[in-house]
Amino acid sequence: MNTDRATDLNIRTDDLIDTIEHALSRRDLAAASAALDPVAPDQIVEVLDRLNARQCAIVYRLLAKERALIVFEALEPELQGELVRGLQDAEVAALFAEMDPDDRVWLLDELPASVTQRLMRGLPARERDLTSAVLGYPQDSIGRRMSPEYVTTHPNLSVGETMQRLRARIDDAETVYTLPVTDAARRVVGVVSLRDLLAHDDSTLIDAVMQPARTAIAESDAESTARVCTDLGLLAVPVVDNENRLVGILTIDDAARILKREESEDAARQGGVEPLGRPYLSTPIRRIVRSRIVWLFVLAIGATLTVKVLSSFEATLEQMTVLALFVPLLIGTGGNTGNQAATTVTRALALGEVRPRDILAVLGRELRVGVSLGLALGVLGFVITALVYDWHIGLVIGATLVAVCAMAATIGGIMPLIARTIRVDPAVFSNPFITTFVDAAGLIVYFLIAKAILGI
């Protein structure tokens, strides 16, 4: 039943996009507006994700003010930035003022400095102060992604008094499901949930119902904090300064948004491209080209190492041309083994299962894994090659597979840890670079083993 409903929704979305594109091609804005009227905001977001920049700006202008704000806040920051550039200044200023401070920061990170300054100047004083406070934290910190709009209570307040505070702020608070409990110095001493408030009498003191708080330092890494929030199933995490004073709150939906973005970036970089930051079909061709071309240049230059190795052993190949037949097999096996190790360790890093200080433990484990894989593949390679060619050639191939798998797994396992140590995204050091390095190093190992066994 759920699958059928999802399929029906996809069909309706596709039909809606076709209808809107047809209406826009005929400049029939009334028809486009009529098609959007019965559609829910989340489905409008799907539509905007798949339109080009010009169509997106036109369709967005057809939305009523209340729906426009809901849709705008649900869009990816990159698409928000593109939409801002397609709207008039007055429209942008009104939208910007209605956004929550943390959502504003996501958008501002995607806009040029001149546009950012103009938008900030147009905000009311209170909203400007809240947004500036969030902008003051480092780019990848959780302080940059927290909301400064929250409701607090105190240990000596009653449940009834806390509910009154909650009702007074319910329209502008980021969340009402988890409330930080602070002392007179604004230090977090616990949290209380809405469920707990509803379950106790109005006269009960908060001190009797509050739970220990799991807090995050504002300067701590955003991805790590978001993962803790989602792994523990916390609806919200109070964000504090170095003296445990409350400065903001991270909600579960914002944590999921952070992780989605980070995992998309990691997946892209592991494949040797820069993240697009927006849906594929609505991304301009030039942007897709730009996201790939730099990496292709870098990898092409790196691949010259392989060419250089081959030229250095040209005499060896002339004496035993059969060795050239196995080059694709060996470098392909080495690259795949390294990529498997890098992907596994990068994921373990993201989940907090390993840390840079575990490098020796990871090295030892991946070395054993690599040798085990190499022995399995080496025995198979020896048998097949010995039957087809000669047992000497089979011995070269078998020994090389063991050596290459051990080397590739070890390098692939420790490179993400080294990247994290030097504060570089581990995904950058993953598959593309590891493959290039292992190709060159694997060929050197191959030809050295061949010279030693064959005596050439």
Side-chain angles (χ1 to χ4, degrees):
M1 179 67 69
N2 290 338
T3 302
D4 292 341
R5 290 179 63 187
T7 303
D8 289 345
L9 178 61
N10 290 334
I11 293 174
R12 290 199 300 272
T13 300
D14 290 340
D15 289 344
L16 178 60
I17 292 172
D18 290 341
T19 300
I20 291 174
E21 288 181 335
H22 182 62
L24 294 180
S25 68
R26 293 184 289 109
R27 300 182 183 276
D28 189 351
L29 298 185
S33 179
L36 290 168
D37 280 344
V39 179
D42 58 343
Q43 196 170 1
I44 295 176
V45 171
E46 292 183 44
V47 172
L48 295 180
D49 280 346
R50 293 165 60 180
L51 297 177
N52 61 41
R54 175 181 168 277
Q55 292 172 329
C56 189
I58 294 173
V59 169
Y60 185 80
R61 283 195 176 96
L62 299 177
L63 302 176
K65 181 179 178 181
E66 295 77 11
R67 299 178 81 204
L69 178 60
I70 296 172
V71 169
F72 189 82
E73 289 189 332
L75 294 172
E76 288 296 318
E78 291 84 356
L79 193 54
Q80 287 179 341
E82 191 170 286
L83 191 55
V84 162
R85 289 186 281 271
L87 298 175
Q88 300 297 324
D89 284 350
E91 295 172 304
V92 172
L95 264 178
F96 194 66
E98 292 293 329
M99 295 177 73
D100 292 332
D102 54 327
D103 291 329
R104 283 195 204 109
V105 173
W106 279 98
L107 171 58
L108 292 176
D109 286 341
E110 300 299 327
L111 295 175
S114 58
V115 178
T116 295
Q117 293 169 4
R118 187 172 74 247
L119 290 174
M120 288 292 288
R121 283 196 300 269
L123 286 175
R126 178 180 179 275
E127 295 296 327
R128 185 167 58 248
D129 290 343
L130 289 173
T131 306
S132 297
V134 177
L135 280 170
Y137 290 99
Q139 184 73 34
D140 294 323
S141 69
I142 199 61
R144 190 86 167 195
R145 300 299 171 224
M146 69 182 183
S147 171
E149 296 184 308
Y150 47 82
V151 182
T152 62
T153 186
H154 306 293
N156 57 347
L157 290 181
S158 67
V159 168
E161 291 170 324
T162 300
M163 290 298 293
Q164 289 178 358
R165 294 167 66 98
L166 193 57
R167 293 188 186 98
R169 294 284 311 280
I170 198 167
D171 289 333
D172 60 359
E174 179 73 8
T175 181
V176 297
Y177 301 109
T178 299
L179 277 62
V181 182
T182 60
D183 61 15
R186 222 174 72 249
R187 289 188 293 264
V188 177
V189 295
V191 293
V192 63
S193 69
L194 181 60
R195 177 189 291 270
D196 291 333
L197 294 177
L198 294 174
H200 290 84
D201 295 333
D202 287 351
S203 59
T204 305
L205 292 180
I206 294 299
D207 184 55
V209 299
M210 70 182 188
Q211 304 293 326
R214 182 69 180 256
T215 60
I217 302 295
E219 286 80 11
S220 58
D221 180 67
E223 182 180 0
S224 300
T225 305
R227 195 166 297 284
V228 169
C229 180
T230 55
D231 287 350
L232 296 180
L234 303 174
L235 294 180
V237 175
V239 182
V240 299
D241 61 16
N242 291 324
E243 296 180 358
N244 203 40
R245 289 188 300 240
L246 185 66
V247 294
I249 196 164
L250 173 72
T251 56
I252 186 70
D253 57 324
D254 285 334
R257 184 181 186 184
I258 292 169
L259 293 180
K260 177 184 176 183
R261 188 180 182 88
E262 292 293 335
E263 289 171 358
S264 296
E265 289 181 356
D266 288 348
R269 287 175 178 150
Q270 286 175 359
V273 299
E274 280 299 307
L276 296 177
R278 54 171 299 159
Y280 171 79
L281 289 177
S282 63
T283 303
I285 295 298
R286 64 181 181 278
R287 183 165 179 173
I288 297 177
V289 172
R290 195 164 59 243
S291 74
R292 300 180 185 180
I293 191 65
V294 174
W295 285 85
L296 287 177
F297 279 138
V298 171
L299 296 176
I301 294 171
T304 58
L305 289 173
T306 304
V307 177
K308 180 63 177 176
V309 171
L310 285 172
S311 65
S312 299
F313 289 95
E314 186 175 358
T316 303
L317 285 172
E318 288 177 352
Q319 294 180 58
M320 190 66 71
T321 55
V322 69
L323 295 176
L325 299 176
F326 296 94
V327 169
L329 165 69
L330 296 173
I331 65 175
T333 301
N336 291 335
T337 304
N339 290 342
Q340 288 176 336
T343 300
T344 301
V345 175
T346 299
R347 182 64 177 168
L349 264 175
L351 295 174
E353 297 171 353
V354 298
R355 294 174 176 80
R357 66 170 178 263
D358 299 320
I359 188 168
L360 293 179
V362 171
L363 188 150
R365 290 179 66 85
E366 288 299 332
L367 178 60
R368 294 196 298 272
V369 170
V371 170
S372 300
L373 292 171
L375 285 171
L377 294 174
V379 169
L380 180 63
F382 169 76
V383 172
I384 295 176
T385 308
L387 291 174
V388 176
Y389 294 97
D390 178 78
W391 75 268
H392 293 91
I393 300 298
L395 187 58
V396 170
I397 300 305
T400 302
L401 283 170
V402 174
V404 166
C405 286
M407 176 190 66
T410 303
I411 293 173
I414 65 173
M415 285 298 280
L417 299 176
I418 294 173
R420 177 62 61 84
T421 301
I422 62 176
R423 300 185 182 280
V424 175
D425 186 348
V428 174
F429 272 5
S430 291
N431 300 2
F433 282 118
I434 290 172
T435 299
T436 302
F437 179 83
V438 169
D439 285 354
L443 285 176
I444 294 174
V445 170
Y446 176 40
F447 288 121
L448 289 177
I449 290 175
K451 293 181 70 172
I453 293 177
L454 302 176
I456 55 178

